[in-house]
Every structure is written in C-alpha cells, then in structure tokens.
Amino acid sequence: MSKNYQYNDSFLVRRVANGCESAFLNLFNFYKNDIYRYSKSMLKQKEYAEEIVQDVFLKVWLNRENLDPNLSFKSYIFTITRNLTLNFLQKAANDKKIRERVFYTAPEFSNPTDAIFEEAYLEKLKQQAINKLSPKRKLIFELSRDKGLSHEQISKELGISKSTVKNQMSSALDTIRDFLFAHENLTFLFILPLIY
C-alpha cells in the first residue's frame, strides 16, 4: 500500500473512531472486495463469504472507539476476517448441511490440469501437516481418519479415556490449521471431514 493510502486509512480510521459514518463507508467500499475474496478462498461459498464481510465491518463499527489510527487498518480487518472465518469453519464442522457445502465443495478450475496439480499439492501439504503431530496424536488422528473409528472406539482400542481422545483430536486439528496458515494455504477441504 502506498503512503497516500496509509495516510488516507489513518485519516479515515480517526474519523470512524469519532463516529463518522461516511468515513466508515469509504473504508467499507475500499476493502470489502479484498475481504470477500479472502474469506471466499476458505469458505468456497459466495453467501458465506458475504456474511463474513458484513460481520467484519459490523465488528469494526461496534468497536470503533477502540480503533488506533496509527496501526494498519488493513492488517486489523484481515485478522478479524481470519478469526471470523475460522469460527465459521468450526461451526460448519458441527453442522452437517454447512459442512457438506463448505468442506465438500471443490474449487472451480477452468483447466483440468490445474485441478490435478492442486489436488496433489493439497495431499502433500496435508501429509506434511499430519507428520507434524506427535506419535500418539498422529495415531489417534489416523485411527479416526483412516479407520473411521469413533472417539469411544479409539479410547477402547488404545486403553485411554474418551476425553483424552477428544482432546488429542482437537489439538491435532489446531496443529494442522496452524501449519496450513503458516504455509499460506487457506483450503480446509480435507481437514475436518476426515474425522467424521
């Protein structure tokens, strides 16, 4: 972003912090498309990404008095977008209808070769993420993913409590998500469906 944009953001943020609706609208119009594309890259569905955009800017407006014009507004709203999108993905994991739309909807490719390369890349990245897990956590994750065992079945097979299995699965997913974000990959198609 150029210095002019940075200055403009700072000026607008200062006005928004003082309750200026027109300044807020300017920021919304400037960033809404970027926020939409970022969210849609994770959620795959237009309507869900649009909801995130609305939620992001609602959060900005409701917390406008805490805005700091000296900090990057762009970083601020992208952090909000990431957090809200992750919250949505967690909700999706527990809602069958949303889960099927988000996690089982493949990205559209105009070139079939692109799809093959993307699938191979995702598979490699997925395995790298799984390999980051501790041996015990990896075993539990793979029993759930590969064998389709329930938490109760895994607890019986390994002689550990069901709550331990649940905690290990939750930690495994956190590790995988962190790995993907660190590698700037925002595709979650293969994460949560594997354990259901």
Side-chain angles (χ1 to χ4, degrees):
M1 183 179 289
S2 71
K3 288 184 179 180
N4 286 339
Y5 279 131
Q6 288 176 346
Y7 171 77
N8 194 41
D9 272 6
S10 178
F11 173 74
L12 291 173
V13 167
R14 188 173 284 106
R15 293 189 65 197
V16 170
N18 291 321
C20 179
E21 293 181 13
S22 62
F24 175 77
L25 187 58
N26 284 337
L27 286 172
F28 173 80
N29 287 331
F30 188 80
Y31 285 108
K32 65 180 179 180
N33 291 333
D34 290 339
I35 295 298
Y36 171 79
R37 283 190 293 269
Y38 179 58
S39 185
K40 189 170 184 286
S41 72
M42 290 187 274
L43 298 178
K44 312 303 172 191
Q45 300 294 327
K46 177 181 177 181
E47 61 268 33
Y48 298 150
E50 289 172 346
E51 284 181 30
I52 293 293
V53 172
Q54 296 298 322
D55 290 346
V56 167
F57 283 95
L58 176 61
K59 194 173 184 70
V60 169
W61 181 253
L62 293 177
N63 294 286
R64 62 189 179 276
E65 293 178 3
N66 299 319
L67 290 173
D68 185 344
N70 297 314
L71 299 178
S72 168
F73 181 74
K74 182 175 183 179
S75 296
Y76 174 66
I77 58 171
F78 271 84
T79 298
I80 295 174
T81 304
R82 175 186 167 184
N83 291 339
L84 290 177
T85 304
L86 279 177
N87 290 342
F88 184 91
L89 288 169
Q90 290 173 343
K91 176 184 174 185
N94 296 312
D95 185 307
K96 183 178 179 182
K97 185 177 179 180
I98 298 176
R99 185 168 72 236
E100 287 175 356
R101 293 199 68 192
V102 174
F103 296 117
Y104 292 96
T105 301
E108 295 180 6
F109 294 97
S110 56
N111 184 340
T113 305
D114 291 343
I116 293 170
F117 281 119
E118 178 72 7
E119 187 175 338
Y121 170 72
L122 291 177
E123 183 60 34
K124 181 181 177 182
L125 199 62
K126 175 183 71 174
Q127 198 54 55
Q128 287 176 354
I130 292 170
N131 289 339
K132 292 287 184 184
L133 302 175
S134 67
K136 179 181 179 182
R137 196 167 289 167
K138 182 178 178 182
L139 175 60
I140 292 171
F141 184 84
E142 290 182 337
L143 285 173
S144 176
R145 181 196 67 172
D146 296 333
K147 293 190 177 181
L149 300 184
S150 68
H151 290 180
E152 187 173 351
Q153 290 170 321
I154 294 171
S155 72
K156 287 179 181 176
E157 181 163 326
L158 299 180
I160 57 178
S161 71
K162 188 176 174 182
S163 63
T164 298
V165 173
K166 184 178 179 180
N167 291 336
Q168 290 292 319
M169 285 299 299
S170 177
S171 295
L173 289 172
D174 287 342
T175 300
I176 292 170
R177 286 189 186 106
D178 289 344
F179 180 87
L180 292 172
F181 273 119
H183 289 77
E184 297 182 350
N185 187 284
L186 304 176
T187 304
F188 288 86
L189 299 176
F190 53 82
I191 301 177
L192 292 170
L194 300 175
I195 66 171
Y196 286 91

